[in-house]
Amino acid sequence: MVAGQLEMALSADPTPPPTPGAVVRHHYDLFNSDADVQQAVTDLLTRVKDGQLHVLLDEADFSSSDVSGQRLSTLVARLAESVPDLHLWAAGVFHIDIPPSLRPEPLTVPLRCAPSVLREVQTAVGRLTGSIHNYSDSGVPGPGDGLRVIRLSHHDNAHRGRWPVECQQCGKEVAAELRRLGVGSGGSSLPNSPTPLSYRDVFIITRSSELQDDIEDDAGQVTSRASGVVRGLRDEGLPVCVLGNQDRRHSRARWERDVHDVAVAATDRVTVTRYSYVHGLERRVVVMLPGRHKENDEGLSDELIDLGDRLFAASRCTTQLIMVDVPPVTTATSTAT
């Protein structure tokens, strides 16, 4: 998103200056390539001026349990060794994972979320104080508490599947709530909101690895249907962009196009996505769909999954949060006499 905004600002100037001032895009694969780590260090060191280097790392993960986290830590350590005055901003970091080569100066002032949304996020922050610093008081009174959090329920005979992402009825009910908010109507029912709500103002976020759009073969025939929640949204006429695992595997070109589109909000569509794909992005309206990742969540309780949802999904919301609640699984027992 930052790269896109810089490019748009520079393209608006008919005579863009040469470097410094130009946007130079580099692609590094920190997930799979040690060589790219060294190349990134080499490229960044060419930007050092008067012993200083300023770096922004958006939603950085320095976890030693993850290969990409190890590589990112290596990158930062090499920069710190080579640059006497390194200024590095790393957003979204668990403070227990900060590389020892850095001296942390934590920023804990909430900047954008409404107080009503912030309380939902703080439910998780307060229980993870060993890994996350709690919010501090900004010292500036807010204009109000913000909008009431809207709660929907994945629970009655019309609903299908264990989780909302599987459920067509959940998609229909979310669509109805978005309509009531005035999304896509050219107006807005949000109090004190001078600007209308567009479809591009909405994230529908889940952790679920089951989220997908229609999968098509080379002839354009659908071989695997979209998730139930996506079908429900489309049944109600909402334009939808889906970022899911299967889409990335089956159509890399479409995936890359959609990721860029979502980052710069180029097309007026509701984005349905896993929250690991939209780190660093925010929307005025966020719908939180509980769910599970099949490969990564084995042995994790629903309660722990909920903490992650609040940290990584609810925190994307600046104005109106919608939470879809899922009743706990109950096991019926019978006694023979």
Side-chain angles (χ1 to χ4, degrees):
M1 183 178 67
V2 173
Q5 289 173 337
L6 287 171
E7 288 168 347
M8 284 188 287
L10 289 171
S11 65
D13 185 345
T15 56
T19 55
V23 175
V24 181
R25 187 184 295 274
H26 299 276
H27 293 275
Y28 305 112
D29 186 357
L30 300 185
F31 289 92
N32 301 304
S33 174
D34 287 322
D36 276 16
V37 173
Q38 184 53 52
Q39 187 60 54
V41 172
T42 300
D43 291 343
L44 286 169
L45 289 181
T46 65
R47 302 296 176 182
V48 175
K49 184 176 181 181
D50 298 328
Q52 291 192 346
L53 179 66
H54 295 77
V55 180
L56 305 180
L57 293 179
D58 194 13
E59 299 292 338
D61 182 2
F62 294 116
S63 173
S64 60
S65 63
D66 183 83
V67 174
S68 61
Q70 295 169 17
R71 290 194 175 102
L72 192 59
S73 295
T74 298
L75 186 155
V76 168
R78 290 178 181 173
L79 289 177
E81 291 169 2
S82 304
V83 182
D85 198 3
L86 175 65
H87 298 267
L88 185 142
W89 166 280
V93 178
F94 288 97
H95 67 73
I96 59 173
D97 295 328
I98 295 175
S101 53
L102 299 179
R103 178 173 58 85
E105 294 285 352
L107 172 63
T108 56
V109 176
L111 298 177
R112 289 170 296 276
C113 290
S116 57
V117 174
L118 202 62
R119 283 196 295 273
E120 298 293 341
V121 182
Q122 281 180 302
T123 301
V125 173
R127 297 185 56 193
L128 294 170
T129 52
S131 301
I132 302 174
H133 291 295
N134 210 333
Y135 289 105
S136 56
D137 187 353
S138 67
V140 180
D145 191 57
L147 300 178
R148 174 186 62 85
V149 175
I150 297 171
R151 297 185 182 274
L152 305 177
S153 179
H154 173 62
H155 178 62
D156 68 32
N157 293 334
H159 291 264
R160 296 289 182 270
R162 172 70 182 100
W163 301 103
V165 73
E166 308 162 31
C167 180
Q168 200 162 344
Q169 182 63 24
C170 276
K172 292 176 180 290
E173 293 181 8
V174 167
E177 202 61 51
L178 295 178
R179 295 292 192 205
R180 278 193 284 273
L181 292 173
V183 174
S185 67
S188 173
S189 65
L190 299 185
N192 302 319
S193 177
T195 56
L197 282 171
S198 302
Y199 295 117
R200 61 167 57 90
D201 291 319
V202 180
F203 271 161
I204 300 176
I205 308 183
T206 184
R207 180 184 176 88
S208 174
S209 54
E210 298 300 299
L211 175 66
Q212 71 171 51
D213 204 346
D214 287 334
I215 303 297
E216 299 177 350
D217 59 20
D218 293 339
Q221 299 297 312
V222 175
T223 58
S224 180
R225 297 185 69 195
S227 304
V229 71
V230 176
R231 298 199 305 272
L233 292 164
R234 287 179 173 151
D235 286 347
E236 298 303 311
L238 268 65
V240 172
C241 170
V242 181
L243 297 182
N245 279 352
Q246 291 84 348
D247 314 298
R248 182 168 60 174
R249 291 196 296 264
H250 285 79
S251 179
R252 186 73 190 190
R254 188 178 77 171
W255 164 264
E256 295 287 354
R257 183 180 67 247
D258 286 344
V259 165
H260 180 269
D261 190 356
V262 170
V264 300
T267 306
D268 195 17
R269 297 183 293 180
V270 170
T271 298
V272 188
T273 181
R274 294 179 57 210
Y275 52 66
S276 58
Y277 297 153
V278 291
H279 282 326
L281 299 178
E282 298 171 325
R283 290 295 188 267
R284 294 168 70 189
V285 180
V286 168
V287 182
M288 196 175 89
L289 303 180
R292 279 183 169 266
H293 190 289
K294 277 190 173 181
E295 291 81 18
N296 299 340
D297 292 352
E298 185 176 352
L300 298 182
S301 67
D302 289 351
E303 185 179 31
L304 191 58
I305 298 298
D306 177 67
L307 297 183
D309 288 344
R310 292 170 182 273
L311 284 178
F312 299 114
S315 63
R316 306 282 140 224
C317 177
T318 63
T319 307
Q320 177 66 74
L321 179 63
I322 302 174
M323 303 178 74
V324 180
D325 295 326
V326 177
V329 174
T330 57
T331 303
T333 58
S334 59
T335 304
T337 57

